[in-house]
Amino acid sequence: MRTERLAADAASIARAAEILRRGGLVAFPTETVYGLGARADDACAARGIFEAKGRPPGNPLIVHVPDIASARALADGWPADAERLAQAMWPGPLTLIVARRPDRVADVVAAGGPTVAIRIPIHPVARALLDAVGLPIAAPSANRSTEISPTTAEHVEKSLGGRIDAILDGGPTAVGIESTIVDVTRSPARVLRPGHVTAEAIAALVPLQAAAGLITAPAERAPSPGTHARHYAPRAQVALVPAQAVRGELDRAVQAGSRAGAIEHGSRTATGPHAELLPGDPTGYAAALYAALHRLEDAGCDVIVIAAVPEDPAWDAVRDRLTRASAAP
C-alpha cells in the first residue's frame, strides 16, 4: 500500500475525509499525539486500525467527535459528571468513558465491551477533519502497538508507512502525551490514564476516586486504552533510574558493549554523546518526551537510561509513561 502524505490544507483535509468515509485509514494530528483514524460506526474500517497497528483486540479505541451533542449521541445515558467535565474541558485532551449505544459504535471499537471512550480534540486540523467527515472517528495513537507514540508526521511514517492510506501533516503536536481518561460510568469518577488534564482539575468539578495504578493483563479486555503494563516503549531496553545514577548506568551499558543514550531533565548537564536534556517542568517535559525517545531510537541506541522524575502529582502523567516504557516486554 502507498501511504499518501497530505498537507494540512483544505484540499488535503477534504481528501482525507473522503478516504475515511469510504472506510480507509488516515493518520492526523491532535493536540496530544497523532491519531490513526477510521470510521467508528464501521466494523471493517475499525478492524483496519487493529491490523495496521498490530493492536490486541481487547484494547478499545477512543472515538473522536466534533461537539458535545455528537458525544451524547454515542452514549447510552449521559451522566451529570460527564456533562460537567465536557462543558468545562472540551474541546481538549480529556477522554470520557461512558456507557455506549451499540447501534452507533462498532463492537470492535469498544473491544466488545459495554462502554465507549469519547473525546473532542482542540487541534484545528483534527476539528476540520471531523467536520468534513461528518462521522465519529475512532483513533488511537498512530504507531505500532506498544511502541513510542508519534508527535510528528515523520514518526507516523516511520511506524506505519505502507500500512495506512494517508497521513495529514499538521506539524509537531503541542501536548506531546495522550489524553487523560476518566471513567464517569461510576460515581465517584475514576482516572484510568493520567494526562495533561490533572486529577486535581477533575476533582474540582466532580467527585473523584483517589488515584491508583491500573494495569490490565495482556489477555484481558482493557477498560481503557493505555492500561497495559508495557506501552509507549522504544525497541531499546529502557532503564529508569534515580538522577544521580544515570552516569553509572550508562557506563555499565557501554562496558557491556551497548550503544547507550540518556534522557535527563532540568538544569543538569546532559550525559554522553547520545543525550537528551528535557525541560524541568512537567508540561515542557511531556511535550518533548516522545520526540526525544524517537531520536535515541533512530540513533541506534539499544539501551536508554532515563532519570526518574519527581514524585509530585504534577508529574503523574509523565511518570506513568516512563513506567510503562520501561516495563519488561
Side-chain angles (χ1 to χ4, degrees), residues 117-215:
I118 310 173
R119 90 174 182 99
I120 301 176
I122 200 169
H123 194 289
V125 175
R127 294 187 62 75
L129 180 62
L130 288 167
D131 287 340
V133 177
L135 296 164
I137 298 299
S141 57
N143 58 300
R144 292 288 286 172
S145 185
T146 77
E147 296 184 2
I148 312 167
S149 296
T151 56
T152 67
E154 289 75 21
H155 298 160
V156 179
E157 192 154 19
K158 179 179 75 168
S159 186
L160 295 178
R163 295 175 178 270
I164 64 177
D165 294 286
I167 303 168
L168 262 178
D169 186 351
T173 64
V175 173
I177 60 172
E178 298 78 3
S179 61
T180 306
I181 300 179
V182 181
D183 180 359
V184 289
T185 64
R186 51 194 285 167
S187 186
R190 182 184 182 191
V191 174
L192 301 185
R193 179 176 71 186
H196 182 76
V197 177
T198 65
E200 181 182 18
I202 294 162
L205 294 168
V206 301
L208 187 68
Q209 179 180 324
L214 182 64
I215 303 292

Side-chain angles (χ1 to χ4, degrees), residues 214-215 226-232 320-327:
L214 182 64
I215 303 292
T227 62
H228 288 111
R230 183 171 173 82
H231 222 315
Y232 321 112
D320 173 81
R321 303 314 189 270
L322 295 179
T323 299
R324 295 179 197 274
S326 59

Side-chain angles (χ1 to χ4, degrees), residues 143-149 158 230-239 263 289-290 292-298 301-306 321-322 324-327 329:
N143 58 300
R144 292 288 286 172
S145 185
T146 77
E147 296 184 2
I148 312 167
S149 296
K158 179 179 75 168
R230 183 171 173 82
H231 222 315
Y232 321 112
R235 290 185 289 273
Q237 174 189 337
V238 175
I263 294 179
L289 174 60
Y290 290 151
L293 285 171
H294 276 287
R295 286 191 294 271
L296 291 173
E297 183 174 82
D298 293 346
C301 293
D302 47 18
V303 172
I304 299 174
V305 181
I306 303 179
R321 303 314 189 270
L322 295 179
R324 295 179 197 274
S326 59

